[in-house]
């Protein structure tokens, strides 16, 4: 199969969907890999490394003209012209982005396979996990940065000073993002409270984290009670394929002190904070009621080398199956089937269809089987 790897065009997005080592594996399996010139430079991979791996260098049109296009982020409006019914394997986050993308995928008949909804046999999200881990770690780092007075923050340092803890971090959500955020904040020495909805899961999580991390059942009342003392709030809520619910209301944000910080990692799916709106690496923060909001939609793009290597390791087994089986693999492999968001002009992911108001265009994948 022809596999195309275009250069990412999102603001400050330096990741690439496939490292040279991954390209070599696919070429060895008999596939033709076409990489847009310069696609890997931001991640530290030169064109020569792709050539050495057996990939062909090309322009954007040739990369997009492949039967299977592999990306990191969703296509931007300037790329819609390249959508011609091919298979597209990338992070789509349809429920959290502009409706125009879904309409473009449907109009072109593109087979949109979202990394974020691929599920393994245990029900986990193996292709979302590596970026969630990076984003969780990063949420604490950027939160600590913006808490500094010169950056507009309240001036609280997260960590221990001569043995005394400083900084209070609330993490709303205890999935992969929440776990990594809690671990990072705890490692600094801050006081951490993690909110979740499953007490058994919370108990298991606490066994993996330092003793000064607390887990609490996520309710508006429980979160509101801690907001006046919080220095950093991290939104880490995920409903796979669906728009994130607003668990932190505008009124709740007003309970926070001026100069405190919110990092809404859920912004890819619309954000779990009512006052959150998408931002970029080039313009990452804004203030609402004195509270700094960091809502960058491609956070792991700040660490492209780490992210590209981790993403390639996670996606490569699925990519090999997809390239080897074509569209038939979507119906034969339940994990890839769960990843299908659009097919033949229909939205196949029910959560995305619901979030986008497109239930009239929803068809279960099984009904579209050849």
């Amino acid at each position: 199969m022809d596999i195309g790897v275009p250069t990412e065009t999102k603001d400050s997005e330096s990741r690439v969907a496939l490292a040279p080592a991954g390209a070599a594996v696919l070429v060895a399996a008999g596939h033709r890999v076409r990489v847009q010139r310069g696609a890997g430079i931001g991640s530290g991979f030169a064109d020569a490394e792709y050539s050495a791996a057996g990939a062909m260098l090309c322009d954007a049109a040739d990369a997009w003209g492949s039967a299977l296009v592999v990306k990191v982020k969703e296509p931007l409006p300037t790329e819609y012209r390249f959508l011609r019914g091919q298979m597209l394997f990338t992070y789509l986050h349809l429920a959290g982005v502009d409706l125009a993308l879904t309409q473009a995928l449907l109009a072109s008949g593109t087979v949109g396979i979202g990394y974020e909804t691929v599920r393994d046999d245990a029900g986990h999200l193996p292709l979302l996990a590596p970026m969630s881990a990076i984003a969780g770690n990063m949420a604490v780092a950027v939160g600590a940065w913006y808490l500094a007075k010169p950056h507009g923050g309240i001036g609280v340092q997260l960590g221990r000073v001569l043995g005394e803890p400083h900084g209070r971090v609330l993490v709303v959500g205890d999935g992969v993002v929440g776990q990594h955020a809690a671990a990072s904040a705890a490692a600094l020495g801050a006081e951490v409270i993690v909110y979740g909805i499953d007490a058994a899961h919370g108990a298991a999580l606490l066994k993996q984290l330092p003793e000064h991390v607390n887990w609490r059942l996520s309710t508006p009342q429980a979160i509101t009670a801690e907001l006046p003392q919080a220095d950093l709030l991290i939104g880490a809520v995920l409903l796979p394929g669906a728009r994130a619910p607003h668990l932190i209301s505008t009124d709740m944000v007003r309970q926070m002190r001026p100069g405190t910080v919110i990092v809404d990692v859920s912004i890819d799916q619309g954000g779990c904070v009512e006052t959150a709106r998408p931002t970029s690496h080039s313009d990452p923060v804004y203030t609402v009621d004195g509270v700094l909001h960091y809502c960058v939609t491609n956070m792991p793009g700040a660490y492209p080398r780490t992210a590209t290597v981790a993403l390639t390791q996670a996606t490569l087994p699925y990519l090999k199956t997809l390239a080897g089986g074509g569209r038939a693999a979507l119906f034969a492999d339940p994990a890839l089937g769960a990843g299908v968001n659009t097919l033949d002009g229909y939205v196949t992911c029910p959560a995305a269809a619901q979030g986008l108001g497109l239930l009239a265009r929803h068809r279960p994948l099984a009904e579209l089987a050849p």
Side-chain angles (χ1 to χ4, degrees):
M1 179 176 284
D2 286 329
I3 303 169
V5 184
T7 300
E8 298 297 319
T9 59
K10 195 177 183 74
D11 179 80
S12 301
E13 181 54 75
S14 298
R15 288 173 289 180
V16 62
L18 191 67
V25 170
L26 294 171
V27 170
H31 304 293
R32 294 173 296 277
V33 179
R34 298 192 284 192
V35 179
Q36 184 176 346
R37 292 180 182 85
I41 290 176
S43 295
F45 298 116
D47 286 348
E49 294 181 71
Y50 286 101
S51 295
M56 295 176 285
L57 299 177
C58 64
D59 60 15
D62 283 340
W64 276 99
S66 303
L68 171 59
V69 175
V70 188
K71 287 184 85 280
V72 178
K73 293 299 292 180
E74 73 281 354
L76 298 183
T78 54
E79 297 171 307
Y80 293 174
R81 62 192 173 94
F82 292 125
L83 298 174
R84 299 171 185 170
Q86 68 271 70
M87 291 191 291
L88 174 63
F89 199 28
T90 188
Y91 289 113
L92 288 171
H93 295 292
L94 294 183
V97 299
D98 193 290
L99 181 61
L101 171 59
T102 303
Q103 292 172 330
L105 294 171
L106 298 180
S108 63
T110 297
V111 183
I113 309 160
Y115 295 151
E116 71 278 3
T117 56
V118 170
R119 287 183 180 271
D120 61 20
D121 292 341
H124 299 144
L125 305 172
L127 306 190
L128 186 61
M131 298 305 102
S132 294
I134 292 171
N137 291 336
M138 183 179 171
V140 176
V142 297
W145 172 265
Y146 284 106
L147 280 171
K149 197 70 172 179
H151 306 143
I154 197 171
V156 170
Q157 184 184 60
L158 302 181
R160 292 184 176 273
V161 178
L162 299 178
E164 291 296 321
H166 290 263
R168 193 169 184 82
V169 180
L170 308 185
V171 182
V172 182
D174 61 359
V176 176
V177 171
Q179 292 172 34
H180 280 74
S184 293
L188 289 176
E191 297 182 69
V192 183
I193 300 176
V194 183
Y195 296 90
I197 58 174
D198 184 333
H201 178 73
L205 176 62
L206 289 178
K207 293 179 180 179
Q208 305 171 33
L209 295 171
E211 292 182 357
H212 57 282
V213 176
N214 293 293
W215 184 94
R216 294 181 187 171
L217 187 66
S218 180
T219 66
Q221 296 79 13
I223 298 170
T224 300
E226 296 294 339
L227 286 174
Q229 294 81 42
D231 298 299
L232 172 61
L233 171 70
I234 296 173
V237 176
L238 174 68
L239 297 178
R243 189 172 181 86
H246 285 160
L247 299 187
I248 309 298
S249 68
T250 300
D251 286 340
M252 292 169 73
V253 172
R254 293 192 182 110
Q255 303 301 311
M256 298 180 71
R257 293 162 294 154
T260 53
V261 177
I262 292 174
V263 178
D264 194 344
V265 184
S266 304
I267 196 65
D268 268 342
Q269 295 289 145
C272 65
V273 179
E274 189 175 11
T275 49
R277 58 175 173 78
T279 63
S280 64
H281 285 295
S282 60
D283 189 15
V285 295
Y286 61 92
T287 302
V288 176
D289 292 321
V291 179
L292 279 75
H293 289 56
Y294 180 99
C295 307
V296 173
T297 56
N298 58 329
M299 288 176 62
Y303 301 95
R305 181 75 178 200
T306 298
T308 292
V309 171
L311 183 61
T312 298
Q313 290 174 342
T315 60
L316 191 57
Y318 297 92
L319 184 53
K320 288 171 63 179
T321 300
L322 186 57
R327 285 177 55 128
L330 304 176
F331 300 93
D333 188 306
L336 284 171
V340 180
N341 279 230
T342 64
L343 179 70
D344 294 342
Y346 293 99
V347 181
T348 54
C349 175
Q354 177 72 43
L356 292 164
L358 291 176
L359 287 175
R361 299 293 299 274
H362 168 61
R363 289 277 297 278
L365 181 65
E367 292 185 8
L368 300 175

